[in-house]
Amino acid sequence: LNEFGIELYDKTPVFNKPMILRGKEIQSYINNSNDTIDGYVIIDDLDGKYLRPCSNHLLQTSEWKGLQEKHIKVAERILNMEEYQNA
């Protein structure tokens, strides 16, 4: 992430409980954050099935190539979509 000028701010909890999807961990983080979260992008090389209810925030990268320059525009589109929806 540093290569693209992205600084890691924090991380979501890991519940490690059966049937708890990663999306529920992300939603818990957002709901319990002391900060206002206006938008976010989930960067992962897996598909979004396990991210419900947050799967529309997924920027899916390649398992082999990881984050690439072309993904930056996709991330911007996801954030702009959220900006439009929150207006």
Side-chain angles (χ1 to χ4, degrees), residues 29-54:
Y29 177 86
I30 292 168
N31 292 343
N32 296 307
S33 176
N34 291 329
D35 298 320
T36 301
I37 299 175
D38 295 323
Y40 62 97
V41 176
I42 302 166
I43 302 171
D44 204 333
D45 61 355
L46 298 175
D47 66 32
K49 292 178 192 171
Y50 72 102
L51 290 172
R52 292 185 191 115
C54 304

Side-chain angles (χ1 to χ4, degrees), residues 52-64:
R52 292 185 191 115
C54 304
S55 53
N56 59 335
H57 297 266
L58 175 64
L59 185 166
Q60 188 173 2
T61 61
S62 164
E63 179 180 352
W64 306 107

Side-chain angles (χ1 to χ4, degrees), residues 4-43:
F4 293 99
I6 300 170
E7 182 180 340
L8 183 63
Y9 175 75
D10 204 352
K11 61 182 183 175
T12 59
V14 177
F15 294 147
N16 284 327
K17 295 181 182 177
M19 304 306 294
I20 298 292
L21 299 174
R22 188 73 182 120
K24 293 192 184 279
E25 295 168 337
I26 295 167
Q27 194 63 53
S28 174
Y29 177 86
I30 292 168
N31 292 343
N32 296 307
S33 176
N34 291 329
D35 298 320
T36 301
I37 299 175
D38 295 323
Y40 62 97
V41 176
I42 302 166
I43 302 171

